[in-house]
Amino acid sequence: MSRVQLGTWGIVTLVALRVGIGLHFFYEGADKLQNPKPFSAGFLSNAKGPFADQYKKMIWDPDGAARLDYEGTVDYWNEYAQQISRHYKFDDKQSKQAEQIVADFDGRLKNFMGRWKPEIDEYWAQLERRDKNLQDPARLALPSLQMHEMKITGERMKLKGQVVPGIDAMWKDLDRALNNVATSQQWKQHGELPIGKVGRRFGDSEMVDGIIPYFNLIVGACLVLGLFVRPAAVLGGLFLLTVCASQFPGTPGAAPIYYQGVEMLAMFALAAIGAGNLAGLDFFITSWLTSNKPSAVTAK
């Protein structure tokens, strides 16, 4: 039983709040689907506070180590060529063509890594040095060493920028070359098979990039329609809570989270009130459930 009687303006404002937040979520999801590009890696890498390490561990191949692993990359490419053959149902001639393409890219990668070997070796050495320094937090507390570490980080990122993008370009070229082996009829019948990425793991930033747009769309649509508002608002509020926790208040360098915090609290309020029963589809679901609930007399 309701303990509060809402007036007309109370109902209007709650509906407006529900629809407004719903549209925000919906358009965020739609924009990410219309303009697909990585977004979570940058967000996770900027995490501040006690949970920062957990957020940063979710980033897919943050140092490019998986892509710089020659043997692991070539093994992945060969497996992808086999997947392509099965996907498009290649004949023998096409399968051999796919194998030759991978062999050509194998040589291309080998030449690339040989040409950049000094830079790659230096990059690995710097990663090793960084990991060793991270095991000594007291070292990083000294201002002079912090400046030195920033300089080393800049040099390391410069080396990564020289090497990893070239390898990324090869992945894209291989994807295109292998899919182009298929005939137009095979394309129409089976659809393109993306190459994917090496070093993937459950819950990484690539997985987040794939889930969040649809999550935003569904939560947004539920709030706008007033359908399943309680679970949708709770899930949306918990998502915003994770956003707030990534920039933990009071942590040096943390970005302000006022907007996300206010929207999170509003989401939990909508869930607590059951705002889908106010000019929403939840009203009809609740009415149907109430009318079909057996009475105490019937139960006896």
Side-chain angles (χ1 to χ4, degrees), residues 116 123 154-166:
W116 288 94
Y123 182 63
E155 293 173 357
R156 185 174 65 247
M157 297 307 294
K158 182 180 178 181
L159 287 170
K160 180 183 176 184
Q162 290 175 324
V163 178
V164 174

Side-chain angles (χ1 to χ4, degrees), residues 90-110:
F90 282 166
D91 56 29
D92 290 341
K93 182 180 178 181
Q94 288 175 308
S95 294
K96 289 178 181 177
Q97 186 180 350
E99 290 174 6
Q100 184 57 51
I101 288 172
V102 173
D104 292 341
F105 272 83
D106 182 351
R108 182 174 160 185
L109 177 62
K110 191 178 294 182

Side-chain angles (χ1 to χ4, degrees), residues 25-39:
F25 265 73
F26 186 86
Y27 285 121
E28 282 287 329
D31 181 63
K32 286 180 173 63
L33 287 176
Q34 291 172 0
N35 304 288
K37 56 184 179 181
F39 60 88

